[in-house]
Amino acid sequence: MEKKVFIKTFGCQMNEYDSEKINDVLAKKNKLIETKEQKDADLIVLNTCSIREKAEVKVYSDLGRIRKLKEANPNLRVAVGGCVASQEGANIIKKAPYVDVVFGPQTLHRLPDLLKAREKNGKPQIDISFPEIEKFDRLPMSKHTGPSAMISIMEGCSKYCSFCVVPYTRGEEVSRPLNDILTEIIATGVSEITLLGQNVNAYRGLMDNGEVADFATLIEYVSEIKEIKRIRFSTSHPNEMNDALIDCFSNIDKLAKMIHLPIQAGSDVVLSAMKRNYTTLEYKSIIRKLRKRCPDISITSDFIVGFPTETLNDFNSTKLLMRELEFDYSYSFIYSPRPGTPASYLKDLTTHEEKLERLHELQMSNVAQGEIFTQNMLGTTQRVLIDSKSKKKSGVFIGKTDNNRVVEIEGDESLLNQFVSVKINQILNKNIQGTILN
Ligand code: SAH
Ligand code: F3S
């Protein structure tokens, strides 16, 4: 009988991408078929996240449940990958001895060998090393069914913000060679591609002529691929925004007019303690340039509240700045001390209740601003990629705009997987409707 694998993904888009790759490698080397039912699985893979404590706690409570499954079926195999695996390593086996394999974000291509070694010597296997770019050279090409795909262009982060665990769990920045990326994009056959990395704009990839391409150059090359009609990317860092990249938003029509540019805080004192290496003034000047080159660009951001040194004054500056910059929907998080990070040794000034209050305030603002942005789309023309059929309304199709709004359009099956120009003519709460322009 065919053996099955169940993969559960926690956290960011990078993990979603990695899970696709885990699936590909297990299908090719171990002939495992993916199942959506954990109880049918012969192998359970948890692709974990450790960016905040909550994400980590979820992994251990899942493992608790899996333990019962394993007691009932000793042939079940359990593998833990991703950032918790990278951070905890052998500790996972100590806490959950029924786990068979622990692998990191950079060693997922070794999973088949680790599973084999587990069968051979009957002991749990651990490999959380960072063998640089080896991962990408060893992975099979993936197949895509829908019109969109994600592709990882670089791994890791070398910025070492004082609160963040990513440089320790994913390693330092490493970029894939330009041609490898282009070849993989062409092979997917999709019309929309999302370029992924912890800091995509820190991309410095080798070209065949020995020169190094920066992120703007990569975007230019990707835009030359005929089949690709829209390019997205995530995430970028303010310190890696150069003029060439800003110009892409006005010069390259295929580039979606949106950018996620985390600022984290609106107080220079806090930004400095976070080691973000920019001031609010520098950040504002980037936003000004972006809007000058591309007036209707949607800009989203990340905010952390309750950073250990954050005073009420600091928080008020963050609130003000958020309104002033008129972001589209943004994300706010409560600061979570991460093991081994410099910020985790700082004295925390706020109570959990204060943090919750600050979070609530910012999130109300996030939502309100996103809604203003939506309302302003009324009457505009948007580029929409139709990717599905409405389940509730017949003859209605659904697609996404550049700034990720879901739009409903009347039409027929021929629209599926197509890009269309849509005039937005009705917005009721979250429901956006439009008609196709010729
Ligand atoms: N590369 C991105 C960040 C990736 S992590 C950048 O340029 O900043 C995604 C988001 O998680 C961060 O932007 C930050 O807002 C949040 N985050 C990271 N570490 C955190 C922590 N220890 N506590 C709370 N939020 C955190
Ligand atoms: Fe984390 Fe800062 Fe890098 S938030 S991912 S260390 S840019």
Side-chain angles (χ1 to χ4, degrees), residues 157 159-161 163-164 166-167 198-199 237 264 276:
C157 182
K159 302 285 185 282
Y160 293 95
C161 301
F163 54 81
C164 184
V166 169
Q198 292 301 338
N199 275 310
H237 193 285
Q264 314 299 0
R276 292 289 292 182

Side-chain angles (χ1 to χ4, degrees), residues 13-14 17 150-155 194-198 200 232-235:
Q13 277 184 312
M14 294 289 286
Y17 173 85
M150 302 184 278
I151 180 164
S152 172
I153 63 159
M154 53 90 65
E155 275 283 350
T194 303
L195 311 174
L196 286 184
Q198 292 301 338
V200 279
R232 299 180 179 281
F233 62 82
S234 177
T235 327

